[in-house]
Amino acid sequence: MSDQAKAPRTFLPPWLKRRVIEIAGWVLLITGVAALVLPGPGLLCLAAGLALLAMRYEWAKRLLLPVKARAFLLASDGVQTWPRVASSILGGLVLVAIGVAWGVGTPEPGWWPAAGSWWLAGGWGTGITLIASGGIALGMIVYSFHRFHGHPLVVPVRKTPMTPRPLRERAL
């Protein structure tokens, strides 16, 4: 057989595949940053975006390890006690419930100062994203519980300070 027959078939030219991976990485990275303060899996999207960008950029490789370590540490801490597990599950279920209420739509309350069209704007588009965020959160809780419950991650303590020494003390 020739080398062409052994090579795996690809549907995208290599230059297009690189661009698609890069664009997906940037979209996931930006979504992850936004989801750190908005409802959604912020660290998960951040880690996924950095993983894709690490295929091309050295800076993304350097950032991926601490983000991944922080995500695993938070996942481990979140399932070590039953109150944490229960509150995490409750938070995920509340997100799903808010998404359903948002999608179904409720009449605006009397105290709402703006026009009625501004009450729960977005309809099912916003509702589905909230439901998906709650579903992802619940899935991550189940994963974290199976992987880390009873086996917490231990982070080594740095023996050296993170701040650099003053210039006069450095060896030249």
Side-chain angles (χ1 to χ4, degrees), residues 18-136:
R18 283 192 306 269
R19 294 296 176 255
V20 168
I21 289 172
E22 188 170 353
I23 290 169
W26 280 109
V27 167
L28 282 168
L29 190 70
I30 292 168
T31 303
V33 169
L36 288 174
V37 294
L38 299 171
L43 280 177
L44 180 66
C45 286
L46 217 82
L50 284 173
L52 288 175
L53 291 172
M55 297 167 71
R56 185 160 170 101
Y57 298 110
E58 192 61 38
W59 62 265
K61 285 180 188 176
R62 286 191 310 269
L63 288 176
L64 180 59
L65 187 61
V67 168
K68 206 167 137 183
R70 181 74 175 158
F72 280 132
L73 180 65
L74 291 174
S76 174
D77 287 347
V79 294
Q80 292 310 312
T81 64
W82 285 107
R84 288 181 185 175
V85 173
S87 63
S88 296
I89 290 172
L90 182 64
L93 292 174
V94 165
L95 267 177
V96 171
I98 290 172
V100 169
W102 207 295
V104 170
T106 57
E108 72 270 2
W111 55 264
W112 183 251
S117 62
W118 287 94
W119 174 250
L120 298 182
W124 276 111
T126 303
I128 288 172
T129 59
L130 287 168
I131 292 168
S133 293
I136 290 170

Side-chain angles (χ1 to χ4, degrees), residues 109-168:
W111 55 264
W112 183 251
S117 62
W118 287 94
W119 174 250
L120 298 182
W124 276 111
T126 303
I128 288 172
T129 59
L130 287 168
I131 292 168
S133 293
I136 290 170
L138 292 170
M140 294 304 295
I141 293 164
V142 169
Y143 168 79
S144 299
F145 187 83
H146 283 294
R147 180 162 181 187
F148 300 118
H149 185 69
H151 309 287
L153 286 180
V154 179
V155 177
V157 178
R158 286 183 71 112
K159 294 182 180 178
T160 59
M162 294 182 72
T163 56
R165 294 182 295 173
L167 185 60
R168 60 179 141 63

